[in-house]
Amino acid sequence: MSACVPTRVTDSHQNRTKRAPQPHSPPPPPPHRFRIAGADVSAAIAVFLIALPLSLGIALATGAPLQAGLVAAAVGGLVAGRLGGCPLQVSGPAAGLTVVTADLIHRYGWRTTCAVTVLAGLAQLALGCLRVARTALAVSPAIVHGMLAGIGVTIAVAQLHIVLGGTPQSSVLANLRALPAQLADVHPADVAMSVLTLALLLLWPRVPGRLGDLMRKIPAALVAVAGATLTASLTGLSLAKVDLPSWSSHALAGLPEGPALGIAAAVLTTTLVCSVQSLLGAVAVDKLVAGQPGLSARVGRSDLNRELLGQGAANIVSGALGGLPVAGVAVRSSANVRAGAVSRNSTMLHGVLVLVAALLMVPVLELIPLASLAALVMAVGIQMVSLHHIRTVTRHREVLVYAVTTLGVVFLGVLEGVLLGVTVAVGVALNRLAHTRITHDEKEGVHHVHVRGQLTFLAVPRLSRVLHLVPQGTHVVVELDGSFMDHAAYESLQDWQNSHTARGGTAELTGRRTGVRDTEPGRTESESTPADPATGTTGAMSGTTTEAPARTTADAPTGAPTTSTACRCHPWTPWRNHQCDPRRSTPADGHPAEPTDQPRDKPTDRPAPGTAEPSTPGTPSTPPHPGTGTHPDPDPDPGTTATATATAGSQLARGISAFQRDTAPLVRGELARLAKEGQRPSQLFLTCADSRLVTSMITSSGPGDLFVVRNVGNLVPPPGEESGDDSVAAAIEYAVDVLRVRSITVCGHSGCGAMQALLNSEPGGARTPLKRWLRHGVPSLERMADDDRPWARLAGRAPADAVEQLCLTNVVQQLEHLRGHESVDRALREGALELHGMYFHVGEAQAYLLTEADGGGLFDGVGVADMSA
């Protein structure tokens, strides 16, 4: 990945000059010879060993010539691998296309099926040129999983007949009707080879110990088919085996023959299944690659439109050469990534190996029993009915869509089943939008009105009836448990609230998500109004609630402003933080200031992180607080300080109360388990004490995941230089030697006040605790000042200023300090520990990982990994 190396900023303290770029670029280097990395070669061999038996098995399941599976595998590796937008995705004949292809062969014959494949490839090219690949991913996951499950059931039922020694019928119903007769006419030899294949397939990956680790390097599919083949050859059993006719008699594509509407429907179905399966496979590969930072920096994210173009080209070539339809295959792609592939060369080399096998290994391939291939494909079909997917759609209340799609594909066909699934999904969505449950009950004198579902004009009559059952002058809590409210419902709820409070009652509006609520009358917060219909959120804070209503004048602390003018700090949510500064709620003149809901990063609120606040001429500027980038108040007013302290104390109490009410019940079981078993974190996370860095949020971690060490400037003092403060070294030793963490991450951040103070430090002066601590950052400053060492850099852009450059350099330098600790050095030599560098840009909410530690270091941005099962 290319990186934008910044031009070095002139440093007033170091008197350094900028490095001017050369007026002319050097001549391009001579072209390098084509080389294939060793990791790509080993990955290609592993994928080839999986693809060879599966390609033959899928061709057998469709009723196509067995060579067609090999043609599709070779073309998928060479053409889609070279032209596709997902370098590590392996394409070829896919089990998801088995039912579609088998139906086409049964209806129109093999040559017309090849023509349909070519036309489907042309359609994919058109869709890729229109750049609609992302739109295809808008299909509900329940429909996609249901389609694959239906195809899996169809495959398994059909292959069961071959496993028993018979011949499959044209449909699932026909196969089910013929199953009793087939069970009465079982061929023992076929059943024995099928059982042996399934046993090896299931047991091979489960062999324990070091022997199992070595054995798992050979794919289970290859072992299963090879074991059955060897057994059949040694025992001399009479079995139907693979028959590969001469390539000279291989049938190529012909002109499509059949009704125009039928051919058009076949092309549409093939295009749909090929495209959706390939795009979902590309997204799944991106997810696997994202889990390996070094690989993600080298490979990058998939270009889905280019992937669609590559798949279209592969289908055109495969169909023209008499091959099966081509699509991305999840099993082979995941095996490719896990085998260590680093480029598209592994995919292409696998295609070459398949081609060589198809030309030179025909005598060996013809020893494979058909029953063994059928058992292999039947196992693949059973695995397509995923229990994980069923649990997921059940949790999201989409099991009806999943079931209808599955049954539609099984009994009607793929296209018909998908259309049925889409229809049911739209119906379910409309039902959820229109169906709202409104209940009313009374507990200890408080009336609770619970609105569950989307609040639209259709629910206004029921809402009005329930609200008018509430007696006048009572306290009411209206709980809005939904994500949308239209204008009619908004006005109805607001009119009722105004009417109820005018008659002496109180109304409290809350949402499902935790946040701020308020009581009536005398409401002082915008959250006391209903949800805004434009956003579908309750009040200004999306329906969040606090433990108690706003304090009145009677219970406010002495010197504090009344509720009408008090500082209104809202609890933290994922979208916004406390939107006011307690020091500014009461100005120095003693008159309370008007409350403001202005975000912190506005110019009128506070300076940007890492910048100095403007000072008047003749007034010395105060250095920023390390870790915050903000300046302390040089002369705080005593009354303001008392108010701020009281506000902070009440805020802390409210936060603890909210935790006990909302969060503690959810995490109590997990914390009890951790208390019983002890902590076993996977990594040590060393970062700055800056309040804007919420480690659990930016790492999506929970209790027991991270062993966190925080200090000013995320510094790691070298061994022997702590001067009486061994806290960081003790934490490192405890994490590595006792907790046995597997990785250590040093995380810096933008706008670091410690780095700003380090840049602005002057020699001499009082040796304060802060200055004594920041001496551990001097090596970072010296590293940045060294012209002979490359600078740490960000991929894609230059550092914004000298502070950001020092923040990046500091991460690299502290990793070097970390390696000097004895426990870390020992664990690294034993291969039991990994070190990672990380940089978090606060203003952009963007994390960067150190992907190249050599030289200055390259920090690469972490993107959003699309999830797809």
Side-chain angles (χ1 to χ4, degrees):
M1 179 176 292
S2 61
C4 183
V5 181
T7 303
R8 299 202 175 188
V9 182
T10 302
D11 189 347
S12 59
H13 298 286
Q14 303 294 336
N15 294 323
R16 298 172 61 187
T17 58
K18 295 182 180 180
R19 294 181 177 178
Q22 297 296 326
H24 300 286
S25 300
H32 294 286
R33 290 186 305 166
F34 176 73
R35 293 181 179 178
I36 300 178
D40 283 333
V41 174
S42 60
I45 294 174
V47 175
F48 160 72
L49 295 177
I50 296 174
L52 188 63
L54 283 176
S55 299
L56 292 172
I58 291 171
L60 173 67
T62 60
L66 296 184
Q67 294 103 319
L70 301 176
V71 170
V75 171
L78 292 170
V79 178
R82 180 64 185 88
L83 303 178
C86 182
L88 301 187
Q89 173 158 258
V90 180
S91 301
L97 293 162
T98 302
V99 176
V100 177
T101 309
D103 183 61
L104 290 178
I105 295 173
H106 176 73
R107 290 189 180 188
Y108 305 112
W110 172 240
R111 294 173 65 86
T112 298
T113 300
C114 293
V116 169
T117 302
V118 173
L119 294 175
L122 292 173
Q124 286 181 299
L125 287 180
L127 293 176
C129 292
L130 293 175
R131 306 186 68 81
V132 297
R134 286 283 174 187
T135 307
L137 298 179
V139 180
S140 168
I143 297 175
V144 176
H145 299 327
M147 177 189 74
L148 295 177
I151 292 172
V153 170
T154 305
I155 292 173
V157 172
Q159 297 309 298
L160 181 59
H161 282 270
I162 302 180
V163 166
L164 297 175
T167 304
Q169 305 299 314
S170 59
S171 67
V172 176
L173 288 176
N175 282 320
L176 291 176
R177 284 195 295 264
L179 191 57
Q182 184 63 62
L183 290 173
D185 186 22
V186 172
H187 292 67
D190 292 288
V191 174
M193 290 302 99
S194 300
V195 171
L196 177 60
T197 302
L198 293 174
L200 290 173
L201 194 64
L202 295 176
L203 298 179
W204 187 262
R206 292 170 172 80
V207 177
R210 291 186 177 181
L211 179 61
D213 295 336
L214 293 175
M215 293 170 60
R216 278 188 289 273
K217 293 183 179 180
I218 305 176
L222 177 67
V223 173
V225 175
T229 302
L230 183 61
T231 302
S233 300
L234 294 177
T235 57
L237 294 175
S238 177
L239 293 166
K241 297 180 179 180
V242 169
D243 181 18
L244 294 174
S246 172
W247 285 102
S248 60
S249 61
H250 179 64
L252 304 179
L255 293 176
E257 298 178 0
L261 288 179
I263 297 296
V267 172
L268 177 62
T269 304
T270 306
T271 304
L272 172 68
V273 178
C274 286
S275 302
V276 171
Q277 183 163 345
S278 299
L279 294 176
L280 291 177
V283 173
V285 170
D286 280 348
K287 178 182 174 182
L288 292 174
V289 171
Q292 305 179 34
L295 182 60
S296 63
R298 183 168 182 173
V299 176
R301 295 193 58 179
S302 300
D303 182 343
L304 296 184
N305 290 300
R306 179 180 172 181
E307 179 65 19
L308 206 54
L309 293 172
Q311 295 293 334
N315 273 313
I316 292 174
V317 176
S318 180
L321 295 179
L324 292 172
V326 171
V329 187
V331 174
R332 297 170 219 175
S333 301
S334 60
N336 191 36
V337 175
R338 293 192 174 99
V342 294
S343 72
R344 63 177 71 246
N345 291 335
S346 65
T347 303
M348 298 173 63
L349 182 58
H350 128 270
V352 172
L353 294 176
V354 172
L355 184 60
V356 171
L359 295 175
L360 303 180
M361 294 178 59
V362 172
V364 177
L365 297 179
E366 289 184 335
L367 297 176
I368 301 175
L370 293 182
S372 178
L373 293 178
L376 177 64
V377 176
M378 185 178 72
V380 173
I382 294 173
Q383 290 171 357
M384 292 173 71
V385 186
S386 171
L387 293 178
H388 171 70
H389 293 162
I390 295 174
R391 285 193 293 265
T392 300
V393 297
T394 302
R395 186 168 62 250
H396 291 284
R397 297 184 298 168
E398 293 185 331
V399 67
L400 179 62
V401 179
Y402 179 91
V404 169
T405 306
T406 301
L407 294 176
V409 170
V410 169
F411 294 108
L412 299 177
V414 174
L415 184 60
E416 293 83 353
V418 170
L419 291 177
L420 272 178
V422 171
T423 303
V424 173
V426 171
V428 169
L430 292 176
N431 178 68
R432 290 177 180 174
L433 185 63
H435 183 72
T436 306
R437 183 182 178 186
I438 305 173
T439 59
H440 168 229
D441 60 348
E442 180 183 358
K443 297 178 182 178
E444 299 178 356
V446 178
H447 292 263
H448 294 267
V449 177
H450 186 195
V451 181
R452 181 176 182 180
Q454 317 311 320
L455 199 52
T456 66
F457 67 95
L458 297 174
V460 168
R462 283 180 290 144
L463 177 64
S464 299
R465 283 196 299 270
V466 172
L467 291 176
H468 282 85
L469 294 176
V470 177
Q472 297 181 5
T474 57
H475 179 59
V476 185
V477 177
V478 180
E479 302 175 15
L480 303 177
D481 189 358
S483 60
F484 176 77
M485 176 189 296
D486 69 3
H487 191 71
Y490 174 79
E491 284 196 348
S492 175
L493 190 55
Q494 191 174 44
D495 291 344
W496 168 84
Q497 183 184 27
N498 294 334
S499 174
H500 185 74
T501 55
R503 290 177 172 81
T506 58
E508 190 173 325
L509 304 178
T510 70
R512 176 174 56 183
R513 286 173 284 190
T514 321
V516 175
R517 66 186 178 192
D518 197 17
T519 56
E520 296 286 349
R523 61 187 178 189
T524 62
E525 307 222 16
S526 60
E527 284 74 31
S528 61
T529 60
D532 188 345
T535 62
T537 58
T538 307
M541 288 285 297
S542 70
T544 53
T545 63
T546 55
E547 177 66 12
R551 293 177 305 191
T552 61
T553 308
D555 60 0
T558 306
T562 61
T563 53
S564 60
T565 56
C567 173
R568 298 181 177 90
C569 278
H570 309 315
W572 180 89
T573 72
W575 299 277
R576 53 198 290 188
N577 206 329
H578 308 291
Q579 298 295 310
C580 57
D581 190 337
R583 297 175 299 174
R584 304 189 180 188
S585 58
T586 307
D589 58 7
H591 297 286
E594 287 297 321
T596 177
D597 197 35
Q598 195 172 23
R600 277 185 167 181
D601 57 351
K602 294 298 178 64
T604 58
D605 192 20
R606 67 171 55 181
T611 60
E613 197 167 314
S615 57
T616 57
T619 304
S621 61
T622 308
H625 274 310
T628 64
T630 60
H631 294 255
D633 191 343
D635 188 19
D637 180 75
T640 304
T641 304
T643 301
T645 303
T647 303
S650 61
Q651 178 186 335
L652 177 63
R654 288 198 302 272
I656 296 173
S657 179
F659 167 80
Q660 294 298 145
R661 181 188 67 242
D662 301 321
T663 309
L666 302 177
V667 302
R668 186 170 286 119
E670 177 66 11
L671 291 178
R673 183 188 67 80
L674 290 172
K676 179 180 179 181
E677 299 177 0
Q679 63 167 330
R680 283 180 284 182
S682 60
Q683 61 177 298
L684 165 62
F685 196 86
L686 195 150
T687 187
C688 185
D690 193 298
S691 62
R692 297 165 297 180
L693 263 68
V694 184
T695 56
S696 59
M697 178 180 70
I698 64 178
T699 60
S700 298
S701 56
D705 291 338
L706 301 180
F707 187 69
V708 181
V709 174
R710 306 188 69 153
N711 61 50
V712 174
N714 48 275
L715 300 178
V716 181
E721 297 187 15
E722 300 252 355
S723 298
D725 179 11
D726 291 330
S727 60
V728 177
I732 294 171
E733 180 182 347
Y734 184 78
V736 176
D737 292 343
V738 179
L739 297 178
R740 304 287 183 182
V741 297
R742 295 187 296 274
S743 69
I744 302 179
T745 301
V746 176
C747 177
H749 68 95
S750 62
C752 181
M755 298 299 103
Q756 178 72 57
L758 198 59
L759 279 172
N760 295 338
S761 61
E762 298 289 348
R767 297 285 291 175
T768 63
L770 175 60
K771 284 190 174 181
R772 288 197 300 270
W773 172 253
L774 288 181
R775 77 185 188 280
H776 302 302
V778 172
S780 301
L781 197 61
E782 294 173 347
R783 184 188 189 99
M784 191 176 77
D786 189 353
D787 289 325
D788 296 330
R789 305 183 74 169
W791 279 18
R793 62 204 189 277
L794 292 170
R797 70 170 178 87
D801 51 25
V803 176
E804 185 169 47
Q805 182 65 70
L806 183 56
C807 293
L808 296 171
T809 305
N810 184 57
V811 172
V812 179
Q813 182 64 37
Q814 300 311 313
L815 285 172
E816 285 195 9
H817 291 179
L818 199 57
R819 293 185 182 94
H821 286 260
E822 180 183 355
S823 57
V824 174
D825 179 64
R826 182 176 60 254
L828 288 174
R829 282 187 281 105
E830 294 173 353
L833 184 67
E834 295 179 352
L835 300 184
H836 302 287
M838 177 177 168
Y839 175 74
F840 185 75
H841 194 288
V842 177
E844 298 174 356
Q846 176 64 54
Y848 297 84
L849 285 177
L850 180 63
T851 58
E852 294 179 11
D854 57 322
L858 171 65
F859 289 83
D860 189 17
V862 180
V864 180
D866 294 330
M867 304 289 288
S868 177

